[in-house]
Amino acid sequence: SAVALVLVLSGYGTKKQYFEPETTAGDVSFDGSIPAKIVEVTRYGATLENGQIITSKGVSSVTMPEGFSFLGEFDERLIAVADCGDLRVMDVSGKVLYEKTFPRAIASASVSGDMLAVVSSGNNLTMLNMTSGEVIFNKQQDDVYALDSRMAAPYFLSGLVLFPTLDGKVVIIDKTSGKVIRDVVIS
């Protein structure tokens, strides 16, 4: 028992080691304050009380329209949503490029070229062409009863679109035809 006590106590005398990265990808400057209180947070950034947004590049000069919050930045375009189902795609200067009202609030969305992919709070998946307005894919998934604002956005991958659903699946569709190629349950 004396040996065990010595081994335990000798473990407390070791020097603590902390991880120090050899190289870093970039510098982050933060003075400890932001211009306003954070009111909405998503996986891709945050909306401040004054309408400004925080993206991966820092606090942006773009201000969200009244009643809208920042959902994400994709393909050099910002997506803003309102609780009532309104969605706006804007350029990085804040100019509205596309807008549409959906029947339910938007849980996640992304853009690539002229294509917009949306997952609604009702777990409905939609892909449409923003130029022509043509709906290429629209499918209702199983009902869900809770939402997480950190949900991943649909992902455009070559000729495919990967839709993360609210019920734990990934639906893979052909970008051109809108046909479901596969749906995979993520455990």
Side-chain angles (χ1 to χ4, degrees):
S1 72
V3 174
L5 180 62
V6 170
L7 288 175
V8 169
L9 293 178
S10 67
Y12 289 110
T14 61
K15 181 182 173 189
K16 291 184 180 180
Q17 295 180 346
Y18 297 96
F19 174 73
E20 293 280 338
E22 292 177 20
T23 59
T24 57
D27 293 329
V28 175
S29 62
F30 180 64
D31 64 4
S33 66
I34 53 176
K37 185 173 95 173
I38 295 174
V39 292
E40 190 77 33
V41 176
T42 69
R43 176 182 211 95
Y44 304 100
T47 307
L48 304 179
E49 195 171 45
N50 65 3
Q52 282 184 285
I53 60 173
I54 300 173
T55 69
S56 60
K57 298 171 187 151
V59 177
S60 174
S61 60
V62 174
T63 302
M64 290 289 105
E66 182 75 31
F68 282 80
S69 60
F70 175 69
L71 191 63
E73 180 177 4
F74 308 94
D75 200 20
E76 295 295 313
R77 289 172 283 181
L78 308 172
I79 298 178
V81 295
D83 290 339
C84 61
D86 291 343
L87 177 140
R88 290 185 184 169
V89 177
M90 304 180 297
D91 66 13
V92 290
S93 70
K95 178 184 171 201
V96 176
L97 304 172
Y98 178 79
E99 57 188 324
K100 181 171 178 60
T101 300
F102 290 85
R104 308 261 321 246
I106 305 304
S108 70
S110 66
V111 294
S112 177
D114 289 344
M115 305 304 284
L116 169 68
V118 175
V119 179
S120 77
S121 62
N123 208 17
N124 190 68
L125 314 179
T126 306
M127 185 176 68
L128 56 89
N129 184 306
M130 293 185 290
T131 304
S132 69
E134 176 190 7
V135 175
I136 296 161
F137 177 76
N138 188 35
K139 185 169 182 184
Q140 180 65 46
Q141 299 295 304
D142 293 338
D143 289 336
V144 293
Y145 303 102
L147 289 176
D148 186 345
S149 64
R150 298 166 299 167
M151 180 184 161
Y155 186 75
F156 291 88
L157 178 68
S158 299
L160 304 174
V161 182
L162 286 67
F163 278 94
T165 67
L166 301 177
D167 58 345
K169 294 188 290 189
V170 174
V171 176
I172 304 168
I173 67 161
D174 180 87
K175 183 176 169 181
T176 309
S177 69
K179 301 278 189 230
V180 175
I181 294 173
R182 177 175 299 209
D183 60 1
V184 180
V185 176
I186 307 295
S187 60

